[in-house]
Amino acid sequence: MSGLKKVVIGLLSIALIVAVGAAAFFFWPHGLPQVAASISQPKGPDLIARGKYLTTAADCEACHTAPGGKPFAGGLGFELPFGILYSPNITPDDQTGIGTWTDAEFVRAVRSGVGKHGEDLYPAFPYTSYALLATDDLLAIKAYLDTLAPVNSSPPENELLFPFNQRYVMRGWKLLFVPSAPFKTDAGKSEAWNNGAYLVEALAHCGECHTPRGLMFQRKQGSALSGGSLEGWTAWNITPDLETGIGSWSDEQIKSYIWKGFAHGRGPAAGAMRQAIDLSLSHLPETDIDAIVTYLRSVEPRKSSYASSIITAGATPASASEPWKPVDGPGGLGRKIFAGACASCHGWDGSGQNSARAALTGSHSVADETGANLVQVILKGTSDPNGSAATAMPGFARSLSDAEIAALANYVIGHFGGKRGSVTPNDVEKAR
């Protein structure tokens, strides 16, 4: 598609959103819903425990915590095609949080994307997935959040382009793309499948990252879970496609990756995926992880939505190397940097010298010719929320130039992925 055609389609899409938004101004349901817990809803400490579990599974802390900030106090910035959004404070502070919110206002916000005062919320908040949540679960989450320590903190003002800074535009968008009813169990499927479907599609909102977006920032449901892009990172294909997804992964590999953040023969998670694992998925019971695996196995296999898709599993220079001795000969800037900065942890064979998390064998990131995630990790490093040295990798943004990082990335792609990397210094500059 030519650049001019993309611009024209983009403008037409914006015009459509504005038109639908204007038409929907008086029709989008902004009134408060009638909410009441069912007779099966737990009470007292059991309700709070249920809410804590659901809040963890929904990964609320990740999005509502700014770097160096207090948990759930908001202020994290999201760089989107139409500007920067900042997450709100969801601690029970009366002035800057949700301390004065009623249950009905909370349910309306999470399920319909409408704030306390009737303002339309932006879809960086994944209400397109949370619309599927059960009322009991939303009320349990609210009950848990109400027990948190109040934090008086206001996020920065959003920085959005016109017309997206006009909140009413979201009314048309929501009419087009937000589900109209909560998740319904499938009586023909097992309890594990239904639990996995609820987790993947609603609570853990996996499709928000792993599904490509259209020109109106909507999830392209015809390509659901085939991979997406988020702030310079690629969220890989998690459908059971054999060539480009997780079809060749064993159940144990999928489970280990989701629960522990790495899998033997598949490499480690990094970026937003590692954060989701560290803060959310790793804290779920094993039965939930098994249920997610069951559901992912059942979805329609789809080819990856991103350009570099085929994961090669053939022989590479790394597979013929020893941990402390490479098979390929001397030469090249990338190899020289890897020898000095990387080999002692990752090993020349990619087995991981000191930690299984440092293993590169089978990692999708090193088999991607574009090096999108690989460059991000080299620049920023990776660690858990506590910065544990045993599972951390330092970032090299300050110590290596764009040209050096490009050379290193291309060497890693060739040595461990068996492909010809296409990373340029300009790519690295953009990733910074």
Side-chain angles (χ1 to χ4, degrees), residues 226-227 236-237 239 241 243-245 302-310 364:
S226 67
W236 305 121
N237 182 349
T239 75
D241 181 68
E243 284 189 321
T244 68
R302 294 185 171 99
K303 295 298 179 186
S304 293
S305 61
Y306 37 84
S308 179
S309 55
I310 305 296
H364 202 148

Side-chain angles (χ1 to χ4, degrees), residues 110-197:
V110 178
R111 190 180 274 163
S112 303
V114 179
K116 178 178 176 62
H117 303 292
E119 71 277 18
D120 294 279
L121 305 178
Y122 292 99
F125 180 33
Y127 48 77
T128 49
S129 294
Y130 291 162
L132 300 174
L133 293 177
T135 299
D136 274 2
D137 287 349
L138 291 170
L139 294 176
I141 291 171
K142 173 67 161 52
Y144 169 69
L145 292 177
D146 284 345
T147 69
L148 300 177
V151 179
N152 189 274
S153 177
S154 297
E157 291 292 326
N158 295 328
E159 304 168 23
L160 300 175
L161 300 173
F162 181 84
F164 301 104
N165 58 356
Q166 305 301 306
R167 287 182 179 269
Y168 74 87
V169 171
M170 290 297 101
R171 300 185 184 190
W173 190 93
K174 287 186 284 188
L175 281 175
L176 292 171
F177 303 120
V178 177
S180 59
F183 175 84
K184 292 183 179 180
T185 58
D186 186 336
K189 301 289 188 180
S190 67
E191 181 180 354
W193 185 93
N194 278 292
N195 186 32

